[in-house]
Amino acid sequence: MIIHANVFIYLIALAAALILGLVLRLPLLPNKPIRHSWTISAVFPTAVLAVGFYAMVYELGYQGYIVALITGIITALFSKFILEKLVPVPQKDGEEESSHE
Amino acid sequence: MYLDFVNLTTISAALALIGTVGIIALPKPLDKVIMFALLQGGFVGMIVAAKYLDVAMAAAIFDPIATIILLIGIIKINEVRKKNQESQEDGNLA
Amino acid sequence: MLIEILGIIVVLMALRTLVAQNRSERLLYLNVIGFSMSAIIGLYIQTPFGAIIAITFFVTSTLSSNAIAYSLGRVKEEIMVK
Amino acid sequence: MNEILGIAIAAVICWVNFVLIDTWMGLPEGPGVKGADVIGRSVQKRGGDLAGGFFQGNIVCSPDASAGTLLAAIGCYAIGIPEGGLIAAVLVYFGNRLCADPGYAGTTGALSITVIIFLTSFIGFKTEYFIVGMVIAILTIQGIYHPGASRLLGKIAHKMGRHTKLT
Protein backbone atom coordinates (compact mmCIF):
# COMPACT_ATOMS: atom_id res chain seq x y z
CA MET A 1 0.00 0.00 0.00
CA ILE A 2 1.51 3.30 -1.04
CA ILE A 3 -0.67 5.52 1.14
CA HIS A 4 0.99 5.75 4.54
CA ALA A 5 -1.52 7.62 6.68
CA ASN A 6 -4.88 6.42 7.73
CA VAL A 7 -7.48 8.33 5.74
CA PHE A 8 -9.95 7.99 8.59
CA ILE A 9 -7.88 10.23 10.89
CA TYR A 10 -7.91 13.00 8.28
CA LEU A 11 -11.69 12.69 8.14
CA ILE A 12 -11.85 13.11 11.93
CA ALA A 13 -9.78 16.32 11.81
CA LEU A 14 -11.92 17.65 8.94
CA ALA A 15 -15.21 16.84 10.67
CA ALA A 16 -14.12 18.33 14.00
CA ALA A 17 -13.13 21.60 12.34
CA LEU A 18 -16.33 21.67 10.26
CA ILE A 19 -18.69 21.04 13.18
CA LEU A 20 -16.97 23.44 15.57
CA GLY A 21 -16.88 26.09 12.81
CA LEU A 22 -20.63 25.74 12.34
CA VAL A 23 -21.14 25.96 16.09
CA LEU A 24 -19.06 29.16 16.15
CA ARG A 25 -21.42 30.60 13.47
CA LEU A 26 -19.09 30.66 10.51
CA PRO A 27 -21.18 30.43 7.30
CA LEU A 28 -21.11 27.06 5.54
CA LEU A 29 -20.18 28.41 2.08
CA PRO A 30 -18.84 31.79 0.91
CA ASN A 31 -21.08 34.42 -0.70
CA LYS A 32 -22.57 33.60 -4.04
CA PRO A 33 -20.09 34.42 -6.78
CA ILE A 34 -17.75 32.15 -4.89
CA ARG A 35 -14.64 32.89 -6.88
CA HIS A 36 -14.68 36.60 -5.94
CA SER A 37 -15.80 36.50 -2.33
CA TRP A 38 -13.52 37.08 0.64
CA THR A 39 -15.62 35.68 3.51
CA ILE A 40 -14.06 33.10 5.81
CA SER A 41 -16.45 30.15 5.79
CA ALA A 42 -16.52 26.69 7.30
CA VAL A 43 -15.73 24.75 4.14
CA PHE A 44 -13.15 26.70 2.28
CA PRO A 45 -10.36 27.83 4.55
CA THR A 46 -11.26 26.03 7.76
CA ALA A 47 -11.53 22.45 6.51
CA VAL A 48 -8.51 22.76 4.21
CA LEU A 49 -6.45 24.34 6.98
CA ALA A 50 -7.46 21.61 9.43
CA VAL A 51 -6.31 18.83 7.09
CA GLY A 52 -3.08 20.68 6.32
CA PHE A 53 -2.27 21.39 9.95
CA TYR A 54 -2.90 17.76 10.85
CA ALA A 55 -0.51 16.74 8.06
CA MET A 56 2.16 19.03 9.56
CA VAL A 57 1.65 17.63 13.07
CA TYR A 58 1.73 14.10 11.63
CA GLU A 59 5.08 14.78 9.97
CA LEU A 60 6.44 16.15 13.26
CA GLY A 61 5.73 12.81 14.91
CA TYR A 62 2.48 13.17 16.85
CA GLN A 63 -0.15 10.77 15.49
CA GLY A 64 -3.48 9.42 16.58
CA TYR A 65 -7.18 10.15 16.92
CA ILE A 66 -6.90 12.53 19.88
CA VAL A 67 -4.25 14.62 18.11
CA ALA A 68 -6.55 14.90 15.09
CA LEU A 69 -9.45 16.02 17.28
CA ILE A 70 -7.35 18.66 19.08
CA THR A 71 -5.95 19.92 15.75
CA GLY A 72 -9.45 20.34 14.33
CA ILE A 73 -10.66 22.26 17.39
CA ILE A 74 -7.62 24.56 17.43
CA THR A 75 -7.98 25.21 13.69
CA ALA A 76 -11.64 26.22 14.05
CA LEU A 77 -10.81 28.64 16.88
CA PHE A 78 -7.83 29.98 14.85
CA SER A 79 -9.85 30.67 11.73
CA LYS A 80 -12.68 32.25 13.72
CA PHE A 81 -10.65 34.64 15.85
CA ILE A 82 -7.11 35.13 14.48
CA LEU A 83 -7.17 34.57 10.71
CA GLU A 84 -8.90 37.83 9.86
CA LYS A 85 -6.25 39.82 11.71
CA LEU A 86 -3.40 37.77 10.24
CA VAL A 87 -4.42 38.14 6.58
CA PRO A 88 -6.61 41.24 6.22
CA VAL A 89 -8.82 41.86 3.19
CA PRO A 90 -6.95 44.31 0.93
CA GLN A 91 -10.07 46.19 -0.21
CA LYS A 92 -9.02 49.40 1.52
CA ASP A 93 -5.78 49.52 -0.44
CA GLY A 94 -7.51 49.28 -3.82
CA GLU A 95 -10.01 52.01 -2.98
CA GLU A 96 -7.25 54.27 -1.79
CA GLU A 97 -5.32 53.67 -4.97
CA SER A 98 -8.30 54.40 -7.23
CA SER A 99 -9.12 57.56 -5.29
CA HIS A 100 -5.48 58.58 -5.36
CA GLU A 101 -5.31 58.70 -9.11
CA MET B 1 28.97 13.93 -22.68
CA TYR B 2 28.24 17.59 -22.26
CA LEU B 3 25.16 16.79 -20.18
CA ASP B 4 27.41 15.94 -17.23
CA PHE B 5 28.36 19.60 -17.11
CA VAL B 6 24.79 20.67 -16.33
CA ASN B 7 24.17 20.55 -12.60
CA LEU B 8 22.86 22.94 -9.98
CA THR B 9 26.19 24.70 -9.38
CA THR B 10 26.85 25.57 -13.01
CA ILE B 11 23.23 26.56 -13.65
CA SER B 12 23.24 28.96 -10.70
CA ALA B 13 26.59 30.39 -11.72
CA ALA B 14 25.33 30.97 -15.27
CA LEU B 15 22.18 32.63 -13.92
CA ALA B 16 24.17 34.96 -11.66
CA LEU B 17 26.56 35.87 -14.51
CA ILE B 18 23.70 36.62 -16.91
CA GLY B 19 22.05 38.76 -14.24
CA THR B 20 25.27 40.70 -13.71
CA VAL B 21 25.66 41.34 -17.43
CA GLY B 22 22.07 42.56 -17.56
CA ILE B 23 22.49 44.91 -14.61
CA ILE B 24 25.56 46.47 -16.20
CA ALA B 25 24.34 46.61 -19.81
CA LEU B 26 20.67 47.66 -19.65
CA PRO B 27 20.12 51.42 -19.28
CA LYS B 28 16.71 51.84 -17.58
CA PRO B 29 16.33 51.41 -13.79
CA LEU B 30 13.33 49.03 -13.84
CA ASP B 31 15.15 46.70 -16.24
CA LYS B 32 18.01 46.68 -13.78
CA VAL B 33 15.62 45.67 -10.99
CA ILE B 34 14.23 42.80 -13.09
CA MET B 35 17.74 41.50 -13.77
CA PHE B 36 18.50 41.88 -10.06
CA ALA B 37 15.59 39.57 -9.27
CA LEU B 38 17.11 37.06 -11.71
CA LEU B 39 20.47 37.34 -9.92
CA GLN B 40 18.77 36.63 -6.59
CA GLY B 41 17.46 33.36 -8.00
CA GLY B 42 20.97 32.34 -8.97
CA PHE B 43 22.30 33.36 -5.57
CA VAL B 44 19.80 31.20 -3.66
CA GLY B 45 20.57 28.32 -6.02
CA MET B 46 24.29 28.64 -5.33
CA ILE B 47 23.73 28.53 -1.57
CA VAL B 48 21.49 25.47 -1.93
CA ALA B 49 24.12 23.75 -4.10
CA ALA B 50 26.56 24.05 -1.18
CA LYS B 51 23.84 22.69 1.17
CA TYR B 52 23.77 25.61 3.58
CA LEU B 53 20.04 25.22 3.97
CA ASP B 54 19.44 27.66 6.83
CA VAL B 55 21.30 30.42 5.02
CA ALA B 56 19.21 29.65 1.92
CA MET B 57 16.01 30.04 3.94
CA ALA B 58 17.10 33.44 5.27
CA ALA B 59 18.20 34.60 1.79
CA ALA B 60 14.89 33.50 0.27
CA ILE B 61 12.93 35.43 2.90
CA PHE B 62 14.98 38.63 2.61
CA ASP B 63 14.95 38.77 -1.21
CA PRO B 64 11.65 40.64 -1.81
CA ILE B 65 12.47 43.11 0.98
CA ALA B 66 15.54 44.30 -0.92
CA THR B 67 13.56 44.49 -4.17
CA ILE B 68 10.75 46.50 -2.56
CA ILE B 69 13.19 49.00 -1.02
CA LEU B 70 14.80 49.54 -4.42
CA LEU B 71 11.38 50.01 -6.07
CA ILE B 72 10.26 52.58 -3.47
CA GLY B 73 13.44 54.54 -4.18
CA ILE B 74 12.83 54.41 -7.95
CA ILE B 75 9.20 55.57 -7.67
CA LYS B 76 10.09 58.45 -5.35
CA ILE B 77 13.00 59.71 -7.44
CA ASN B 78 10.86 59.55 -10.58
CA GLU B 79 8.16 61.73 -9.01
CA VAL B 80 10.73 64.22 -7.80
CA ARG B 81 12.27 64.47 -11.27
CA LYS B 82 8.86 64.90 -12.92
CA LYS B 83 7.98 67.73 -10.52
CA ASN B 84 11.36 69.32 -11.16
CA GLN B 85 10.84 69.21 -14.92
CA GLU B 86 7.39 70.79 -14.69
CA SER B 87 8.59 73.62 -12.49
CA GLN B 88 11.48 74.25 -14.86
CA GLU B 89 9.08 74.52 -17.83
CA ASP B 90 6.89 76.93 -15.87
CA GLY B 91 9.93 79.06 -15.15
CA ASN B 92 10.79 79.12 -18.84
CA LEU B 93 7.27 80.26 -19.74
CA ALA B 94 7.31 83.04 -17.17
CA MET C 1 18.23 13.45 -16.66
CA LEU C 2 15.55 15.48 -14.89
CA ILE C 3 17.84 18.23 -13.59
CA GLU C 4 19.50 18.50 -17.01
CA ILE C 5 16.18 19.22 -18.76
CA LEU C 6 15.30 21.88 -16.19
CA GLY C 7 18.78 23.41 -16.37
CA ILE C 8 18.62 23.83 -20.15
CA ILE C 9 15.21 25.52 -19.76
CA VAL C 10 16.60 27.90 -17.12
CA VAL C 11 19.63 28.99 -19.15
CA LEU C 12 17.52 29.46 -22.29
CA MET C 13 14.98 31.61 -20.45
CA ALA C 14 17.75 33.68 -18.84
CA LEU C 15 19.22 34.46 -22.26
CA ARG C 16 15.77 35.40 -23.59
CA THR C 17 15.28 37.69 -20.59
CA LEU C 18 18.53 39.45 -21.43
CA VAL C 19 17.72 40.07 -25.10
CA ALA C 20 13.96 40.76 -24.89
CA GLN C 21 12.67 44.07 -26.24
CA ASN C 22 9.57 44.68 -24.15
CA ARG C 23 9.67 45.15 -20.38
CA SER C 24 6.60 43.11 -19.40
CA GLU C 25 7.84 40.31 -21.66
CA ARG C 26 10.89 40.17 -19.39
CA LEU C 27 8.62 39.67 -16.38
CA LEU C 28 6.92 36.66 -17.98
CA TYR C 29 10.27 34.99 -18.68
CA LEU C 30 11.33 35.70 -15.08
CA ASN C 31 8.28 33.80 -13.87
CA VAL C 32 9.41 30.67 -15.73
CA ILE C 33 12.82 30.98 -14.04
CA GLY C 34 11.12 31.11 -10.61
CA PHE C 35 9.16 27.94 -11.40
CA SER C 36 12.13 25.94 -12.63
CA MET C 37 14.58 27.07 -9.92
CA SER C 38 12.21 25.94 -7.18
CA ALA C 39 11.70 22.64 -9.05
CA ILE C 40 15.49 22.11 -9.19
CA ILE C 41 15.84 22.93 -5.47
CA GLY C 42 13.14 20.40 -4.66
CA LEU C 43 14.77 17.74 -6.81
CA TYR C 44 18.30 18.38 -5.46
CA ILE C 45 17.51 18.40 -1.72
CA GLN C 46 15.36 15.33 -1.20
CA THR C 47 14.35 16.02 2.40
CA PRO C 48 11.24 17.74 3.88
CA PHE C 49 13.23 20.88 4.62
CA GLY C 50 14.16 21.08 0.93
CA ALA C 51 10.47 21.13 0.04
CA ILE C 52 9.86 23.91 2.57
CA ILE C 53 12.75 25.94 1.07
CA ALA C 54 11.35 25.44 -2.45
CA ILE C 55 7.88 26.62 -1.39
CA THR C 56 9.30 29.66 0.44
CA PHE C 57 11.51 30.59 -2.51
CA PHE C 58 8.61 30.36 -4.94
CA VAL C 59 6.24 32.47 -2.83
CA THR C 60 8.83 35.19 -2.16
CA SER C 61 9.87 35.39 -5.82
CA THR C 62 6.19 35.78 -6.73
CA LEU C 63 5.93 38.59 -4.17
CA SER C 64 8.82 40.47 -5.73
CA SER C 65 7.31 39.92 -9.22
CA ASN C 66 4.07 41.38 -7.90
CA ALA C 67 5.87 44.46 -6.60
CA ILE C 68 7.76 44.93 -9.89
CA ALA C 69 4.57 44.65 -11.97
CA TYR C 70 2.77 47.15 -9.70
CA SER C 71 5.52 49.73 -10.04
CA LEU C 72 5.61 49.03 -13.79
CA GLY C 73 2.08 50.43 -13.91
CA ARG C 74 2.94 53.27 -11.55
CA VAL C 75 6.05 54.49 -13.38
CA LYS C 76 4.88 55.06 -16.94
CA GLU C 77 8.16 56.38 -18.36
CA GLU C 78 11.34 56.96 -16.51
CA ILE C 79 13.08 60.32 -16.69
CA MET C 80 16.79 59.76 -17.08
CA VAL C 81 19.47 62.25 -16.11
CA LYS C 82 21.85 62.92 -18.92
CA MET D 1 7.91 3.04 -17.95
CA ASN D 2 10.10 4.97 -20.31
CA GLU D 3 11.26 8.25 -18.79
CA ILE D 4 10.71 10.59 -21.74
CA LEU D 5 7.24 9.19 -22.43
CA GLY D 6 6.29 9.54 -18.77
CA ILE D 7 7.42 13.16 -18.67
CA ALA D 8 5.42 13.97 -21.81
CA ILE D 9 2.22 12.40 -20.49
CA ALA D 10 2.68 14.10 -17.11
CA ALA D 11 3.16 17.46 -18.86
CA VAL D 12 -0.14 17.02 -20.71
CA ILE D 13 -1.95 16.05 -17.49
CA CYS D 14 -0.55 19.08 -15.61
CA TRP D 15 -1.41 21.45 -18.50
CA VAL D 16 -5.03 20.32 -18.62
CA ASN D 17 -5.32 20.40 -14.82
CA PHE D 18 -4.09 23.92 -14.21
CA VAL D 19 -5.59 25.56 -17.30
CA LEU D 20 -9.05 24.16 -16.57
CA ILE D 21 -8.97 25.11 -12.87
CA ASP D 22 -7.58 28.60 -13.50
CA THR D 23 -10.14 29.31 -16.21
CA TRP D 24 -12.96 27.96 -14.06
CA MET D 25 -11.91 30.14 -11.12
CA GLY D 26 -12.17 33.22 -13.31
CA LEU D 27 -8.60 34.29 -13.96
CA PRO D 28 -9.25 35.53 -17.53
CA GLU D 29 -12.22 37.65 -16.39
CA GLY D 30 -10.24 40.53 -15.03
CA PRO D 31 -7.00 41.57 -13.37
CA GLY D 32 -6.97 40.60 -9.70
CA VAL D 33 -4.15 42.98 -8.85
CA LYS D 34 -2.96 46.11 -10.61
CA GLY D 35 0.18 44.60 -12.11
CA ALA D 36 -1.81 41.99 -14.06
CA ASP D 37 -3.60 44.80 -15.87
CA VAL D 38 -0.29 46.19 -17.17
CA ILE D 39 0.89 42.80 -18.44
CA GLY D 40 -2.46 42.01 -20.08
CA ARG D 41 -2.55 45.31 -21.97
CA SER D 42 1.04 44.82 -23.08
CA VAL D 43 0.28 41.36 -24.47
CA GLN D 44 -2.76 42.75 -26.28
CA LYS D 45 -0.64 45.51 -27.79
CA ARG D 46 1.71 42.90 -29.24
CA GLY D 47 -1.12 41.15 -31.07
CA GLY D 48 -2.64 38.81 -28.50
CA ASP D 49 -5.98 38.34 -26.82
CA LEU D 50 -6.92 40.43 -23.78
CA ALA D 51 -8.41 37.55 -21.74
CA GLY D 52 -5.30 35.44 -22.31
CA GLY D 53 -3.17 38.41 -21.33
CA PHE D 54 -5.04 38.75 -18.04
CA PHE D 55 -4.54 35.01 -17.49
CA GLN D 56 -0.76 35.32 -17.95
CA GLY D 57 -0.58 38.44 -15.80
CA ASN D 58 -2.51 36.82 -12.97
CA ILE D 59 -0.18 33.82 -13.04
CA VAL D 60 2.83 36.15 -12.73
CA CYS D 61 1.39 38.28 -9.95
CA SER D 62 0.07 35.67 -7.51
CA PRO D 63 0.50 31.92 -6.97
CA ASP D 64 -2.51 30.30 -8.67
CA ALA D 65 -3.36 26.75 -9.68
CA SER D 66 -0.06 26.49 -11.58
CA ALA D 67 1.88 27.19 -8.40
CA GLY D 68 -0.37 24.84 -6.46
CA THR D 69 0.33 22.06 -8.96
CA LEU D 70 4.11 22.52 -8.86
CA LEU D 71 4.40 22.90 -5.09
CA ALA D 72 2.11 19.97 -4.31
CA ALA D 73 4.20 17.80 -6.66
CA ILE D 74 7.39 18.92 -4.88
CA GLY D 75 5.79 18.24 -1.50
CA CYS D 76 4.65 14.77 -2.55
CA TYR D 77 8.15 14.05 -3.84
CA ALA D 78 10.03 15.18 -0.75
CA ILE D 79 7.63 14.59 2.15
CA GLY D 80 5.21 11.82 1.29
CA ILE D 81 2.22 11.12 -0.90
CA PRO D 82 -0.78 12.58 0.87
CA GLU D 83 0.91 14.78 3.51
CA GLY D 84 3.11 16.84 1.21
CA GLY D 85 0.23 17.93 -0.97
CA LEU D 86 -1.85 18.99 2.02
CA ILE D 87 1.01 20.96 3.60
CA ALA D 88 1.64 22.65 0.23
CA ALA D 89 -2.06 23.56 0.02
CA VAL D 90 -1.88 25.40 3.37
CA LEU D 91 1.32 27.25 2.45
CA VAL D 92 -0.07 28.21 -0.97
CA TYR D 93 -3.18 29.58 0.74
CA PHE D 94 -1.09 31.89 2.93
CA GLY D 95 1.04 32.92 -0.05
CA ASN D 96 -2.11 33.76 -1.98
CA ARG D 97 -3.46 35.94 0.79
CA LEU D 98 -0.10 37.76 1.02
CA CYS D 99 -0.39 38.60 -2.71
CA ALA D 100 -3.97 40.02 -2.31
CA ASP D 101 -5.90 37.14 -3.89
CA PRO D 102 -8.81 35.13 -2.42
CA GLY D 103 -6.89 31.87 -2.77
CA TYR D 104 -9.43 29.47 -4.21
CA ALA D 105 -7.48 28.53 -7.33
CA GLY D 106 -4.22 27.64 -5.56
CA THR D 107 -5.70 25.31 -2.97
CA THR D 108 -8.00 23.62 -5.50
CA GLY D 109 -5.07 22.97 -7.82
CA ALA D 110 -2.91 21.57 -5.02
CA LEU D 111 -5.62 19.20 -3.77
CA SER D 112 -6.56 17.98 -7.26
CA ILE D 113 -2.96 17.25 -8.28
CA THR D 114 -2.49 15.35 -5.00
CA VAL D 115 -5.42 13.11 -5.93
CA ILE D 116 -4.07 12.69 -9.48
CA ILE D 117 -0.57 11.76 -8.24
CA PHE D 118 -2.05 9.25 -5.80
CA LEU D 119 -4.16 7.61 -8.50
CA THR D 120 -1.46 7.50 -11.19
CA SER D 121 1.16 6.10 -8.81
CA PHE D 122 -0.58 2.74 -9.14
CA ILE D 123 0.20 2.50 -12.86
CA GLY D 124 3.88 3.36 -12.57
CA PHE D 125 4.14 7.15 -12.76
CA LYS D 126 6.83 8.55 -10.51
CA THR D 127 6.29 11.87 -8.76
CA GLU D 128 9.39 13.45 -10.36
CA TYR D 129 7.68 13.28 -13.74
CA PHE D 130 4.99 15.66 -12.55
CA ILE D 131 7.56 18.24 -11.34
CA VAL D 132 9.36 18.34 -14.70
CA GLY D 133 6.06 18.11 -16.57
CA MET D 134 4.68 21.15 -14.75
CA VAL D 135 7.75 23.22 -15.66
CA ILE D 136 7.39 22.19 -19.31
CA ALA D 137 3.68 23.07 -19.20
CA ILE D 138 4.35 26.53 -17.81
CA LEU D 139 7.09 26.96 -20.43
CA THR D 140 4.59 26.48 -23.25
CA ILE D 141 2.39 29.26 -21.88
CA GLN D 142 4.82 31.87 -20.57
CA GLY D 143 8.03 31.20 -22.40
CA ILE D 144 7.72 30.53 -26.12
CA TYR D 145 5.40 32.91 -27.98
CA HIS D 146 3.08 35.06 -25.90
CA PRO D 147 0.49 36.29 -28.49
CA GLY D 148 -0.18 32.77 -29.77
CA ALA D 149 -0.53 31.33 -26.28
CA SER D 150 -2.85 34.15 -25.24
CA ARG D 151 -5.07 33.56 -28.28
CA LEU D 152 -5.36 29.85 -27.38
CA LEU D 153 -6.22 30.73 -23.76
CA GLY D 154 -8.79 33.25 -24.98
CA LYS D 155 -10.48 30.56 -27.06
CA ILE D 156 -10.66 28.21 -24.06
CA ALA D 157 -12.05 31.01 -21.88
CA HIS D 158 -14.67 31.82 -24.53
CA LYS D 159 -15.74 28.18 -24.64
CA MET D 160 -16.10 27.97 -20.86
CA GLY D 161 -18.01 31.26 -20.62
CA ARG D 162 -15.31 33.15 -18.74
CA HIS D 163 -14.23 35.65 -21.40
CA THR D 164 -13.48 39.16 -20.19
CA LYS D 165 -16.03 41.97 -20.48
CA LEU D 166 -13.42 44.73 -20.33
CA THR D 167 -12.14 46.24 -23.52
Side-chain angles (χ1 to χ4, degrees):
Chain A
M1 202 59 188
I2 297 177
I3 181 164
H4 299 294
N6 199 349
V7 179
F8 193 61
I9 303 184
Y10 285 104
L11 286 182
I12 284 181
L14 200 151
L18 206 63
I19 291 171
L20 192 59
L22 287 178
V23 168
L24 286 174
R25 298 180 181 221
L26 289 170
L28 180 65
L29 282 175
N31 295 334
K32 216 30 186 147
I34 286 182
R35 59 183 185 276
H36 296 308
S37 77
W38 287 87
T39 49
I40 291 171
S41 67
V43 169
F44 171 57
T46 310
V48 176
L49 287 182
V51 177
F53 284 145
Y54 179 66
M56 284 181 193
V57 175
Y58 179 89
E59 276 301 314
L60 290 177
Y62 303 98
Q63 301 158 5
Y65 297 103
I66 301 174
V67 178
L69 203 66
I70 293 172
T71 311
I73 292 170
I74 289 176
T75 308
L77 294 174
F78 170 77
S79 68
K80 171 74 178 173
F81 294 113
I82 305 178
L83 189 60
E84 233 165 315
K85 287 167 195 147
L86 198 66
V87 278
V89 178
Q91 203 167 19
K92 209 190 313 175
D93 188 41
E95 281 178 4
E96 187 200 31
E97 275 310 312
S98 59
S99 68
H100 195 263
E101 286 178 354
Chain B
M1 277 298 286
Y2 293 113
L3 273 185
D4 290 341
F5 195 62
V6 180
N7 51 29
L8 185 51
T9 314
T10 52
I11 292 166
S12 319
L15 215 56
L17 284 177
I18 291 172
T20 315
V21 170
I23 288 178
I24 294 171
L26 296 175
K28 298 243 177 107
L30 274 180
D31 288 337
K32 284 182 201 283
V33 173
I34 292 175
M35 298 314 274
F36 183 65
L38 200 149
L39 192 147
Q40 283 169 344
F43 177 65
V44 174
M46 247 189 271
I47 296 173
V48 168
K51 298 205 171 169
Y52 293 116
L53 294 183
D54 43 356
V55 186
M57 193 85 182
I61 290 177
F62 291 148
D63 273 352
I65 299 176
T67 309
I68 286 172
I69 290 173
L70 274 175
L71 286 172
I72 289 173
I74 288 174
I75 289 176
K76 280 294 165 197
I77 207 167
N78 206 46
E79 283 178 356
V80 168
R81 277 177 185 164
K82 198 179 282 178
K83 219 168 278 176
N84 232 339
Q85 231 176 18
E86 283 171 2
S87 69
Q88 226 169 28
E89 284 172 2
D90 284 352
N92 284 344
L93 279 176
Chain C
M1 189 63 207
L2 302 165
I3 292 184
E4 280 82 355
I5 295 173
L6 295 175
I8 290 168
I9 290 175
V10 168
V11 175
L12 222 82
M13 282 301 122
L15 289 175
R16 282 194 81 167
T17 313
L18 187 60
V19 300
Q21 299 296 322
N22 199 337
R23 204 183 289 152
S24 63
E25 200 177 340
R26 257 185 206 129
L27 216 54
L28 292 174
Y29 294 139
L30 187 66
N31 191 21
V32 182
I33 291 176
F35 268 87
S36 25
M37 279 310 283
S38 63
I40 292 177
I41 290 173
L43 283 175
Y44 185 75
I45 312 281
Q46 300 174 1
T47 55
F49 195 52
I52 301 293
I53 286 178
I55 294 174
T56 310
F57 174 70
F58 185 83
V59 170
T60 51
S61 83
T62 307
L63 259 175
S64 75
S65 285
N66 198 339
I68 291 173
Y70 172 76
S71 63
L72 216 66
R74 187 80 179 270
V75 181
K76 291 293 188 304
E77 51 176 322
E78 290 130 301
I79 301 163
M80 309 275 294
V81 175
K82 279 135 202 158
Chain D
M1 186 181 287
N2 190 5
E3 205 169 24
I4 304 291
L5 189 67
I7 288 172
I9 296 174
V12 172
I13 290 175
C14 288
W15 200 94
V16 170
N17 181 37
F18 90 86
V19 167
L20 285 187
I21 288 177
D22 272 349
T23 311
W24 185 50
M25 287 297 171
L27 257 74
E29 276 184 329
V33 285
K34 204 177 165 200
D37 194 28
V38 180
I39 295 174
R41 305 275 175 204
S42 159
V43 170
Q44 191 193 22
K45 201 180 293 173
R46 279 185 283 136
D49 188 68
L50 186 60
F54 283 159
F55 189 97
Q56 289 173 327
N58 276 326
I59 285 181
V60 170
C61 287
S62 65
D64 283 312
S66 50
T69 309
L70 178 76
L71 298 181
I74 290 177
C76 286
Y77 176 66
I79 295 177
I81 288 249
E83 299 98 14
L86 302 175
I87 293 173
V90 172
L91 293 178
V92 166
Y93 174 74
F94 282 112
N96 253 323
R97 291 302 287 258
L98 281 179
C99 291
D101 210 47
Y104 295 99
T107 47
T108 314
L111 295 179
S112 75
I113 199 67
T114 308
V115 172
I116 290 175
I117 287 174
F118 175 62
L119 290 180
T120 51
S121 67
F122 289 116
I123 56 171
F125 274 88
K126 288 180 188 163
T127 316
E128 301 96 280
Y129 297 165
F130 283 93
I131 301 176
V132 183
M134 185 58 221
V135 175
I136 291 173
I138 203 73
L139 175 73
T140 59
I141 283 185
Q142 308 262 30
I144 292 182
Y145 179 57
H146 300 140
S150 72
R151 261 176 258 138
L152 176 63
L153 292 173
K155 263 180 206 164
I156 293 174
H158 199 75
K159 200 160 286 182
M160 289 179 69
R162 292 275 193 267
H163 205 273
T164 178
K165 293 182 181 64
L166 305 176
T167 52

